[in-house]
Amino acid sequence: PEDDPRNPATIADNVGDNVGDVAGMGSDLFGSFAESTCAALVIGSSIGVSNGWDAMVFPIVVSAVGIFVCLVCSFIATHIRPVRQESQVEEALKIQLISTTVLMVPSIYYAAEYFLPKSFTIAKTVGQDVLELAPYMATVCVAMGAVGGLIIGLITEYYTSHSYAPVREVAHSCKTGAAT
């Protein structure tokens, strides 16, 4: 059979399947990122003060700031706290997740203050009223997304990592079953 461990091609097949799965997830993440950035560009183009250019470019600024923050935080993993053993990988990933969030929020605040006008308006989707907005409001939106992502990541780690009780309890309960 195809997945029989006695078949030498099984390892190559499993490696190929894994590579395909990882590449697929990466392309899905990039697709989601690109789609949400394009949507933000379209919305931004409708509210800017200089023919929409200032607000339209802000999503690109957020992405650019994110690249620089990731470069700074990757320095932590490569020079300050490098991974030397397999047991340190989980801690290194957690430090990366927390440090990028902590650096991203103030970086976006300064980017919003610099790139966005001091106040701008956007039409409500229902009715004729307009909303008066300020750069700090854009910062709050990005910060909520970053902190929300951090919380989701930490909760997911708690319920899926063998380092914490939920996974250990399930693993322990699987040692014996109704058939034993």
Side-chain angles (χ1 to χ4, degrees), residues 6-7 21-22 41 59 61 68 76 103 118 129 133 141 155 157 178 180:
R6 295 171 293 181
N7 180 356
D21 291 346
V22 170
L41 290 170
V61 170
F68 287 111
I76 295 171
L103 286 177
K118 295 300 172 201
D129 297 334
L133 304 174
C141 291
I155 290 172
E157 178 188 10
T180 57

Side-chain angles (χ1 to χ4, degrees), residues 88-161:
Q88 297 173 325
V89 171
E90 187 176 337
E91 179 186 1
L93 290 173
K94 187 186 296 187
I95 289 170
Q96 289 288 291
L97 181 62
I98 294 169
S99 64
T100 52
T101 303
V102 167
L103 286 177
M104 189 67 177
V105 171
S107 299
I108 289 301
Y109 170 78
Y110 290 115
E113 289 295 326
Y114 182 77
F115 286 102
L116 291 176
K118 295 300 172 201
S119 69
F120 49 97
T121 58
I122 183 172
K124 287 187 175 181
T125 54
V126 177
Q128 302 297 324
D129 297 334
V130 294
L131 298 171
E132 187 74 26
L133 304 174
Y136 80 89
M137 294 176 178
T139 302
V140 169
C141 291
V142 175
M144 289 174 65
V147 172
L150 173 64
I151 291 168
I152 290 169
L154 295 176
I155 290 172
T156 301
E157 178 188 10
Y158 178 75
Y159 286 105
T160 60
S161 170

Side-chain angles (χ1 to χ4, degrees), residues 41-86:
L41 290 170
V42 170
I43 292 169
S45 69
S46 67
I47 64 171
V49 293
S50 56
N51 295 328
W53 184 250
D54 47 0
M56 188 175 83
V57 173
F58 188 67
I60 303 294
V61 170
V62 171
S63 299
V65 169
I67 291 170
F68 287 111
V69 166
C70 286
L71 288 173
V72 169
C73 290
S74 68
F75 184 77
I76 295 171
T78 57
H79 291 81
I80 297 173
R81 293 190 61 130
V83 175
R84 305 226 187 273
Q85 300 172 6
E86 184 180 340

